[in-house]
Amino acid sequence: MAVKVTWLHWLFLLLAVLLEVFGTSIMKVSHSWQFSFGSELGLAIMWACIACSYFSLAKATTALPVGVAFALWDAIGLVFILLFSVFILGEHINWIKCMGLVCVLCGGFLVHRGTDTH
């Protein structure tokens, strides 16, 4: 018997994305922390966030199709991580990266649209 998809499943997916983005971002930022064991603390936070992200993704897939959940988790996370790297870390973006993001997002949403939820 299939579980009915509710707003809670989408909320778990959103939480999984946010935890992944935070964990990945803190991994990079923590290398500039000047206090003792700053980098190690950053890595511990990253691992905790990634673990919680996968837990939330698993909760989302109790009703959402795993392909849809993973595609959206990956695509939306990639967009947010790239935006963080551009606006916070000062990394550069060019038209090729922009086109890659468009392709990833379109792929994620096409997987969602093409999935039969009956």
Side-chain angles (χ1 to χ4, degrees):
M1 183 173 163
V3 176
K4 184 178 187 305
V5 177
T6 66
W7 63 271
L8 191 59
H9 297 100
W10 290 105
L11 187 63
F12 273 120
L13 182 59
L14 175 64
L15 181 62
V17 169
L18 294 176
L19 286 165
E20 178 210 9
V21 169
F22 183 76
T24 303
S25 300
I26 204 76
M27 174 183 61
K28 175 72 173 181
V29 170
S30 69
H31 291 297
S32 65
W33 291 349
Q34 298 299 316
F35 57 89
S36 296
F37 302 107
S39 294
E40 291 80 4
L41 176 61
L43 288 175
I45 293 169
M46 178 211 60
W47 281 111
C49 287
I50 297 299
C52 291
S53 175
Y54 271 97
F55 176 79
S56 296
L57 183 61
K59 295 297 278 182
T61 60
T62 59
L64 293 171
V66 86
V68 170
F70 187 79
L72 293 176
W73 175 76
D74 196 33
I76 296 168
L78 179 63
V79 169
F80 283 138
I81 289 169
L82 183 75
L83 291 173
F84 176 85
S85 70
V86 169
F87 291 112
I88 304 299
L89 301 176
E91 295 179 7
H92 298 286
I93 188 168
N94 56 31
W95 70 273
I96 295 173
K97 285 182 183 178
C98 286
M99 291 305 297
L101 286 177
V102 168
C103 289
V104 166
L105 282 173
C106 287
F109 288 111
L110 285 173
V111 167
H112 175 55
R113 294 290 301 156
T115 300
D116 183 23
T117 56
H118 295 38

